[in-house]
Amino acid sequence: MTTLLVIAKEPLPGRVKTRLTPPFTPAEAAALAEAALADTLSAVAATPATRRVLVLDGAPGPWLPPGFDVVPQCGGGLDERLAAAFACCDGPTLLIGMDTPQVTPALLDVDLTRCDAVLGPAEDGGFWALGLAEPDPRLLRGVPMSTPTTGAVQRDRLVDAGLRVRDLPPLRDVDTAADAEAVAALAPRGRFAARLAGLTAVTGR
């Protein structure tokens, strides 16, 4: 089976989901981030895996379910932090972030014995998931992150290394208020959708 990695920030006001402000306050944006992280971790917890690891910038909170190892993120850019996350793993490994609370165990249950890598493209041009049958940090270092071509560049890096790449379905990241509404509609029974509905009801947004 596979090691599942989640790379995340502690959901503190002013440190997460800053593109949600406005229309939301920093505290409200952090509450949405916490709900997104909780939904993501629940999906990971329900997925068959050899090991589940939260690679965290910050401290764990009550949103963390049992069964996860928690390791601190290293310093540096996002490419270096993702590379370091893979460096601590042996065997098939799948990494995701905290921005796709609509993710399901079915999407995460990937078979890395049938390919060398899997890549889940994000609608904004990035990627929401990256899986490697044999983790190699060099495949991530130097990939420009948070750009409209990040996913394409990362896929090219995998292909250029001679890997057989399988694409996962594209998902939408939660970056803006419009993203939040669209993602909540895709997973209406999740914590994220409930938190967004509660905030909307209170504020009238």
Side-chain angles (χ1 to χ4, degrees):
M1 285 192 286
T2 301
T3 295
L4 296 178
L5 298 174
V6 180
I7 189 161
K9 288 183 179 181
E10 182 184 0
L12 297 175
R15 295 194 66 237
V16 291
K17 295 295 166 211
T18 55
R19 290 175 60 188
L20 291 177
T21 58
F24 298 100
T25 68
E28 291 169 341
L32 288 169
E34 180 178 327
L37 179 55
D39 281 343
T40 301
L41 295 173
S42 291
V44 171
T47 304
T50 304
R51 184 184 179 209
R52 300 173 183 86
V53 182
L54 175 63
V55 186
L56 185 63
D57 177 0
W63 36 262
L64 178 64
F68 283 79
D69 297 330
V70 180
V71 299
Q73 286 186 33
C74 73
L78 181 55
D79 63 318
E80 290 288 346
R81 287 179 277 140
L82 296 181
F86 276 103
C88 71
C89 298
D90 294 313
T93 301
L94 179 70
L95 178 143
I96 66 170
M98 59 183 285
D99 297 335
T100 52
Q102 73 274 39
V103 74
T104 64
L107 286 171
L108 298 176
D109 191 9
V110 301
D111 185 357
L112 282 163
T113 65
R114 295 177 177 270
C115 58
D116 301 312
V118 296
L119 188 70
E123 292 184 7
D124 63 2
F127 59 88
W128 65 268
L130 174 62
L132 297 172
E134 297 183 8
D136 184 349
R138 295 172 297 179
L139 294 169
L140 292 107
R141 294 192 182 108
V143 173
M145 296 289 163
S146 303
T147 77
T149 61
T150 293
V153 173
Q154 181 64 73
R155 194 181 196 286
D156 287 344
R157 177 73 70 86
L158 302 174
V159 172
D160 290 345
L163 303 186
R164 298 168 299 159
V165 182
R166 181 166 70 87
D167 293 316
L168 299 178
L171 293 182
R172 185 169 181 169
D173 284 341
V174 174
D175 290 320
T176 66
D179 294 331
E181 293 175 2
V183 168
L186 294 172
R189 291 185 291 275
R191 296 175 182 85
F192 181 80
R195 185 66 54 84
L196 179 64
L199 292 175
T200 302
V202 170
T203 63
R205 293 189 186 92

